[in-house]
Amino acid sequence: MKTIDRRSAIKTLGLGALGAAGLSAALPAQAQEAVNWRMQALWDGGTTPQKFEERFVKRVAELTDGKFKIELFSAGQLVPANQAFDAVRGGAFQMMKTFDGYEAGKIPGLAFTSTVPFGFPEADQYEAWFYELGGLELAREAYAPAGLFYIAPTVYGPEPIHSKVPINSIADLKGKKGRFVGLASTVMGALGVAVTPLPTSEVYSALDKGVIDLADRGDLTANLEAGLAEVAKYIVMPGPHQPTTATSYVANRAAYERLPAPYKAALAAAARETSAALRQHILVADGKALEAFKEKGVTVTSLDPKELAQARVEVVETWKKAAGGNANAVKILDSQVAFLKRLGLLS
């Protein structure tokens, strides 16, 4: 076996326990073949989240001494965003960054691997479920029948609700028209919102024209950059529909299984690094974005924690209905509910 030089050893040590364990158990990357993949992300070019995807693919290349290269494309560059699932499944390209909730209609378990409305209030809690309590394996079980492999999540904090009218309590949501996706659309519908699952690109115009009263769209910085301060003068932050968020790296299963072990380890390590880096960035950026929204005349409010705790208890039945008796979805939900109880967030 070729001796690993000092430079390679330093790289391996920089992975943390997850990546180092995988890479040290396999042949050095220098001995592996060159692999070229294509990946389509969720984000538009030049946006902050897309810049973190650039860091992700760069890191994968670094960890494999340039042998595993992923060509990154922004949303819609290869196929329309709503066709990425089928395109990766069919092998048109090897990998996507996605929000699992988009496919919850096909795969019920994915409703719970993207966000849990009124669920985990801290991103570390949600990420701990993935890495410490079998969430990764359950997400992989959900994707497997579709010929796809769930690599890892990118977990970060809450997303806001932008509204044209004041929202000071959960009761204020009733009768409003709103844009939500995934499990959030089911839960918000149960709370009396008339839900419209519009594409992200249509949120600004729908608010502007009064087609909807309120919307989930993305993180605060992205929404500021998209001009939502011009069309919605109220923000609820954190948004109870999405107290924590997970997007995910998903690959064509056959392509993933052909990868050498060090390349698989590099994907896992780079994904977890990206998750932490983006979460920390958003934590700082959210404060700056909120100040910018306020300067533009936007009112920012938060819902009462006691009201949110009571709503969490009440929406458990809605979560169960969303699982729909699907075996994988029920396993995921039962695991999450058990953890929420252990954390003292459900009785």
Side-chain angles (χ1 to χ4, degrees), residues 21 104 109 124 243 275 298 331:
D124 277 347
S275 182
V298 176
K331 281 197 293 185

Side-chain angles (χ1 to χ4, degrees), residues 320-343:
K320 291 179 180 177
K321 289 179 182 177
N326 176 271
N328 170 258
V330 170
K331 281 197 293 185
I332 291 174
L333 179 56
D334 286 350
S335 174
Q336 292 179 343
V337 167
F339 190 34
L340 286 165
K341 288 180 179 179
R342 203 176 311 157
L343 292 168

Side-chain angles (χ1 to χ4, degrees), residues 279-302:
R279 180 164 64 253
Q280 291 159 14
H281 174 85
I282 289 176
L283 185 65
V284 174
D286 276 357
K288 296 177 181 178
L290 282 173
E291 289 303 314
F293 272 113
K294 290 175 183 177
E295 289 173 4
K296 293 177 180 292
V298 176
T299 300
V300 180
T301 60
S302 299

Side-chain angles (χ1 to χ4, degrees), residues 15 34 40 48-49 53 55 64 94 118 139 164 178-179 184 192 195 218 250 255 288-290 305 343:
L15 289 174
Q40 180 168 294
T48 296
E53 304 305 349
R55 288 175 55 169
T64 58
Q94 293 80 14
F118 294 89
K164 297 178 73 70
R179 183 268 183 184
V195 175
V250 177
K288 296 177 181 178
L290 282 173
L343 292 168

